[in-house]
Amino acid sequence: MFTQVVVTKNKAYWIKDNTFLVAPINEDGEIDREAATAVDTMSMSKVQLEEISLIVEELTRGKGYDSGSAGKS
């Protein structure tokens, strides 16, 4: 099993166990997973939220994470 990661602005973003996580990239170019934290969207500006939204879209593209119904009852 693999985890899809988006790296931008010296930060890595990924989704694990339905939690959106962020961690810094260290000086060796590796993800510092021990420093990972959940992304706090409550205190973000509109611009930051739009940026985060694009990252989430990239991470979930084709993964079936949407909350829509299959249409079956």
Side-chain angles (χ1 to χ4, degrees):
M1 186 170 161
F2 70 95
T3 301
Q4 186 170 358
V5 177
V6 171
V7 177
T8 183
K9 299 181 181 177
N10 292 322
K11 293 182 182 176
Y13 296 89
W14 69 96
I15 298 171
K16 181 178 179 182
D17 299 328
N18 292 321
T19 302
F20 185 38
L21 299 164
V22 61
I25 303 295
N26 67 25
E27 52 277 345
D28 295 327
E30 297 176 0
I31 300 169
D32 185 354
R33 291 185 181 267
E34 291 184 18
T37 59
V39 175
D40 177 18
T41 58
M42 297 306 290
S43 62
M44 291 184 175
S45 70
K46 182 178 178 182
V47 171
Q48 290 170 315
L49 285 171
E50 289 173 0
E51 187 175 297
I52 290 298
S53 177
L54 291 173
I55 293 169
V56 171
E57 285 178 26
E58 185 65 28
L59 288 171
T60 59
R61 185 183 311 172
K63 300 277 192 225
Y65 285 125
D66 67 350
S67 59
S69 165
K72 297 179 182 178
S73 308

